[in-house]
Amino acid sequence: MQESNSLNDTENPTFKVLKLNGCYYGNNCFPSLNNLIAEAERHPMSYNRLKKQLEYVVINAVRLQLKGYKATRQVQLHFIFGERQKGVKRDYDNVLAAASKIICDALVKSGVLKDDAPAYLLPSTCEFHYVEKPFIHIQIREVKT
């Protein structure tokens, strides 16, 4: 997949954008589900420590970028992943599964979402791009019910 020009133009008044730029797990922005499972098999506390570290990355980004925003209606998340061009291409479903779990839990802990149950959170969508520097952008859309 090629990098879209719309990645820099994700600001839209109908939704909030949370941007995570950089490498927080090796050469990638976030680990894949296989990485999380390997951590859990190695030692349960190792998985717990990794998950908390990544949640704090998201919580700090929420504090800096969303500044007290709290969703009042049902929300749908759209993930835009920027994966490294070089190296092994990771499975999309594994990347989305791990990132969505960690990010949704962090959004609940930071108060953006009341809960990550279906009553508050609709199924998420995603897209992937291959870029030089990894990132994850999360578009938070409140849905009229």
Side-chain angles (χ1 to χ4, degrees), residues 8-90:
N8 295 327
D9 189 30
T10 56
E11 298 298 332
N12 185 328
T14 61
F15 56 84
K16 299 287 185 179
V17 177
L18 181 63
K19 297 179 180 182
L20 305 171
N21 298 316
C23 299
Y24 303 105
Y25 184 81
N27 289 331
N28 298 303
C29 195
F30 268 38
S32 71
L33 183 61
N34 292 338
N35 299 129
L36 290 181
I37 291 170
E39 284 293 319
E41 288 174 349
R42 193 167 66 88
H43 194 278
M45 293 306 293
S46 175
Y47 163 77
N48 189 36
R49 186 175 23 236
L50 175 62
K51 185 174 179 279
K52 281 186 179 183
Q53 288 172 347
L54 294 170
E55 283 177 349
Y56 285 130
V57 168
V58 177
I59 290 169
N60 286 333
V62 166
R63 287 179 183 152
L64 290 172
Q65 297 173 29
L66 300 183
K67 299 184 191 314
Y69 168 74
K70 294 186 185 316
T72 57
R73 293 183 272 186
Q74 206 173 25
V75 168
Q76 182 175 34
L77 301 178
H78 178 70
F79 294 92
I80 303 171
F81 292 93
E83 287 283 304
R84 284 196 176 277
Q85 288 176 329
K86 297 180 181 176
V88 176
K89 305 288 190 244
R90 303 189 305 162

